[in-house]
Amino acid sequence: MKNLPIGTQSFSVLRNTDCLYVDKTEYIYRMITTGRIYFLSRPRRFGKSLLVSTLEAIFKGQKELFEGLYIQDKRDWTQQHPVIRLDFGGRAHRTGDELKVSLNEFLDETAGDNHLLLVKTELPDKFGELIKKLHQSTGQQVVVLVDEYDKPITDHLSHPETREANKTILHDFYQVLKAVDEHIRLIFLTGVSKFSGLSVFSALNNPDDITLNPEYATICGYTQEELESCFTERIDDVARCYNKSRDEMLDTIRTWYDGYSWDGRTSVYNPFSTLLLFSNREIDDYWFRTGSPTFLMDIVKKRNRIALALEPVKVTSRTFNGYDPANIDEISLLFQTGYLTVKEKDFSSIPAQYTLGIPNEEVRTSFLEYLLNAYSAYSVEQVQPLISDMQQQIHAGDTAGLEKNLRLLLANIPGTLHIGKEAYYHSMFLTWMKLLGFDIHGEVITNIGRIDAVWQQPELTVVAEIKYSAGKVKADSLLTAAMEQIHDRRYYEKYLDRKVILMAVAFTGKAVRCRLEEMQ
């Protein structure tokens, strides 16, 4: 078996150290032969940097690295181009001044590597000078590769002063690219967000945004076919560890790490988590634990949006056309950062409509555990025992025990985050139940009403009705009304082929009560 390229973002290192490479050069060849200016958005740890490195090797004419790959006999390898590769993942940008210094150092280093001397002093002018002189000195147009082009902004979304300072610097820096267009063979940018007002998209001759283009839906990540053909021995290895058949193990791996889609039809596995699965021979939440974007979590908490990802959400294609970094909504952030993905694309409406949902079990479990931790001050170590206790209490009909744990959860939510609306408590309660491992559905429509929540486990269905009062109605009255509503409207009727537990939950102010009843 070839070595697993864990943490390897350099294409040349990967190919020279006998690492496994899932061949994506067919997509790259299509891209570089049909256009000149591209933008691709993918979540972190999804192979964007390796893709950029591969492009660099192609345009530098490093033919020996592509032996046995699709592009090997498709390209004239004598055509070599100077490459400017800027990776903001390795550039300082904690302040606007620091970003300027970092970019100036990058331009000087790149010029020095190519035996050039830059005389311009202003940052944008120096960038343009570098591109022109590279073209003039080599006789070949320049390839500009920018990895994580938006990182100096996304890392500071919660810090307006730094965000706006960096935005202004990048606007002027990127605007140069249009002025030197005749000197450029290809521009390829990767990032998380497609921000407006940066001149990249408003002035740079309208880059081809291939983020949602079906032809490039699998340019990053592993398809099912790639997984089974490239990792076949490792799949069998993990299956032995779990004492499962190959097919059973594939189902488990698919549930945990597959499900990312940008066209609603084809899906890919998270490459980072997949590689660590095969390295460690253990199912775990590898992607999430590498560090969720702090800007996303800060914004979700500050805006009191506790359960954004519980149910699929529909948006139009306009949602992806560009974002104002000072006013970006949570759904867009969750999609860009990989917590939501395209589940379905509907062409019947104009513009097209997309259904977004959680990609897989790794993201679902980890994200909701984080939300519970963020809104209740419970650590991850405390969350897991709590989940186990509450699962057992529901199965056993232990109203007193379940109510005690619900009170503990509610009590740990900071008072400033409470919103005196029934919808808030509905969402919060559904988040808790999601964490218990139930397949949960909110607002379930029946022929005589709408059930607040139904969630299921094998051989068990829980039908819940949730009531809220700011304090004027007593909890016992709310519980009685909720249970009577379940019975009167026979919400449980279509689930009687299995064990059914009825649950009434009452939120009164910042207090919570519950009542459990098993259908006989």
Side-chain angles (χ1 to χ4, degrees):
M1 293 185 287
K2 286 185 174 291
N3 298 320
L4 294 173
I6 297 172
T8 304
Q9 299 178 340
S10 166
F11 183 74
S12 61
V13 170
L14 185 151
R15 296 293 284 174
N16 286 322
T17 55
D18 197 32
C19 283
L20 184 148
Y21 175 67
V22 176
D23 190 358
K24 299 292 184 178
T25 59
E26 181 176 356
Y27 303 104
I28 297 174
Y29 180 75
R30 181 191 306 150
M31 183 175 66
I32 64 178
T33 55
T34 58
R36 290 182 57 246
I37 307 175
Y38 293 97
F39 169 71
L40 175 69
S41 172
R42 287 293 185 268
R44 61 190 172 85
R45 303 283 189 172
F46 232 88
K48 299 189 299 295
S49 296
L50 178 60
L51 179 61
V52 169
S53 179
T54 307
L55 278 164
E56 180 180 25
I58 289 172
F59 281 104
K60 284 185 173 180
Q62 297 174 326
K63 179 181 179 180
E64 69 281 1
L65 298 178
F66 295 89
E67 183 178 350
L69 302 182
Y70 174 88
I71 202 173
Q72 179 186 10
D73 59 355
K74 304 292 191 303
R75 181 168 174 77
D76 179 4
W77 294 97
T78 63
Q79 293 294 312
Q80 300 177 13
H81 294 262
V83 177
I84 298 175
R85 181 182 172 188
L86 173 56
D87 181 3
F88 276 106
R91 291 279 140 191
H93 48 71
R94 288 172 296 184
T95 66
D97 289 340
E98 191 174 77
L99 176 60
K100 282 185 179 180
V101 170
S102 179
L103 287 173
N104 271 299
E105 289 177 348
F106 166 77
L107 295 177
D108 289 336
E109 290 165 2
T110 305
D113 291 342
N114 289 275
H115 311 291
L116 299 174
L117 178 65
L118 303 178
V119 297
K120 302 288 186 180
T121 56
E122 292 298 319
L123 184 59
D125 296 337
K126 184 183 287 189
F127 188 26
E129 181 186 8
L130 174 63
I131 292 172
K132 291 176 184 177
K133 286 188 172 180
L134 280 172
H135 186 191
Q136 293 164 358
S137 64
T138 63
Q140 295 289 340
Q141 290 176 305
V142 179
V143 172
V144 179
L145 307 175
V146 184
D147 197 9
E148 298 192 75
Y149 91 100
D150 54 346
K151 191 171 177 60
I153 298 175
T154 57
D155 278 4
H156 305 287
L157 284 181
S158 298
H159 304 90
E161 185 175 339
T162 303
R163 180 193 69 216
E164 291 305 310
N166 288 350
K167 177 184 173 183
T168 299
I169 294 166
L170 291 179
H171 173 276
D172 296 341
F173 186 77
Y174 291 134
Q175 198 167 31
V176 172
L177 293 172
K178 183 178 182 180
V180 296
D181 184 63
E182 63 187 279
H183 301 283
I184 292 177
R185 164 64 181 86
L186 179 87
I187 298 173
F188 183 76
L189 305 100
T190 78
V192 171
S193 301
K194 185 179 178 181
F195 285 131
S196 58
L198 278 182
S199 80
V200 175
F201 303 102
S202 59
L204 190 54
N205 295 331
N206 296 316
D208 186 358
D209 182 359
I210 60 175
T211 300
L212 298 173
N213 188 329
E215 290 190 354
Y216 300 101
T218 58
I219 194 171
C220 293
Y222 305 140
T223 65
Q224 187 68 35
E225 181 181 357
E226 289 168 343
L227 181 89
E228 294 191 40
S229 62
C230 296
F231 298 93
T232 182
E233 293 172 295
R234 294 188 182 275
I235 293 169
D236 292 336
D237 195 18
V238 175
R240 284 191 292 270
C241 291
Y242 278 88
N243 195 27
K244 290 186 175 184
S245 69
R246 179 183 175 85
D247 288 343
E248 288 172 334
M249 197 67 241
L250 280 171
D251 285 341
T252 301
I253 297 172
R254 184 184 300 112
T255 298
W256 270 82
Y257 304 121
D258 192 14
Y260 286 93
S261 179
W262 285 269
D263 63 358
R265 295 179 180 176
T266 55
S267 65
V268 293
Y269 287 77
N270 181 319
F272 181 78
S273 295
T274 303
L275 290 173
L276 285 174
L277 158 71
F278 290 131
S279 175
N280 296 335
R281 301 178 182 84
E282 182 178 351
I283 300 286
D284 209 338
D285 57 343
Y286 300 109
W287 179 74
F288 191 91
R289 71 167 61 164
T290 60
S292 295
T294 54
F295 70 84
L296 169 64
M297 297 309 175
D298 287 345
I299 288 174
V300 170
K301 288 171 65 177
K302 285 180 180 178
R303 296 180 186 176
N304 295 317
R305 302 293 297 277
I306 191 170
L308 290 167
L310 286 176
E311 298 290 343
V313 60
K314 292 187 177 181
V315 299
T316 68
S317 56
R318 293 192 181 99
T319 303
F320 313 110
N321 286 342
Y323 312 96
D324 177 0
N327 189 32
I328 187 169
D329 68 272
E330 297 91 338
I331 295 298
S332 297
L333 278 174
L334 287 168
F335 170 71
Q336 295 163 43
T337 50
Y339 297 94
L340 295 178
T341 195
V342 177
K343 292 296 186 180
E344 185 179 347
K345 184 177 181 180
D346 181 7
F347 289 96
S348 63
S349 60
I350 300 176
Q353 192 173 74
Y354 294 79
T355 300
L356 306 181
I358 294 176
N360 52 43
E361 187 66 14
E362 178 186 29
V363 177
R364 188 195 73 83
T365 301
S366 301
F367 185 53
L368 291 174
E369 281 186 2
Y370 176 88
L371 285 177
L372 183 59
N373 168 252
Y375 281 88
S376 67
Y378 279 100
S379 67
V380 173
E381 291 74 19
Q382 292 171 307
V383 167
Q384 285 299 335
L386 190 65
I387 289 172
S388 178
D389 286 347
M390 294 175 75
Q391 285 177 329
Q392 294 176 16
Q393 288 157 359
I394 290 173
H395 278 270
D398 180 3
T399 298
L402 181 62
E403 191 173 279
K404 177 182 177 182
N405 280 327
L406 290 176
R407 285 201 302 269
L408 287 172
L409 286 172
L410 192 64
N412 276 295
I413 297 177
T416 55
L417 296 180
H418 280 274
I419 301 174
K421 295 181 180 179
E422 185 168 344
Y424 168 78
Y425 290 98
H426 276 221
S427 295
M428 182 172 59
F429 184 73
L430 293 179
T431 301
W432 293 345
M433 295 302 104
K434 272 277 192 179
L435 281 166
L436 302 187
F438 287 95
D439 177 18
I440 192 165
H441 304 278
E443 300 290 318
V444 178
I445 305 297
T446 72
N447 60 338
I448 55 174
R450 178 177 299 183
I451 311 172
D452 279 347
V454 174
W455 57 90
Q456 296 175 291
Q457 284 184 335
E459 309 302 324
L460 172 65
T461 294
V462 179
V463 177
E465 183 66 27
I466 304 163
K467 297 292 184 183
Y468 168 79
S469 171
K472 296 179 180 180
V473 181
K474 291 184 177 180
D476 285 339
S477 298
L478 291 175
L479 291 174
T480 299
M483 197 61 78
E484 286 178 350
Q485 183 174 325
I486 294 174
H487 282 287
D488 291 345
R489 300 184 184 182
R490 302 180 67 82
Y491 286 158
Y492 50 80
E493 199 161 45
K494 66 178 182 178
Y495 306 108
L496 291 176
D497 60 336
R498 63 184 69 193
K499 179 179 178 180
V500 176
I501 291 178
L502 311 182
M503 179 185 292
V505 181
F507 290 95
T508 54
K510 297 178 182 178
V512 61
R513 295 277 306 281
C514 71
R515 187 177 297 169
L516 297 172
E517 179 182 313
E518 183 177 347
M519 288 296 298
Q520 300 299 327

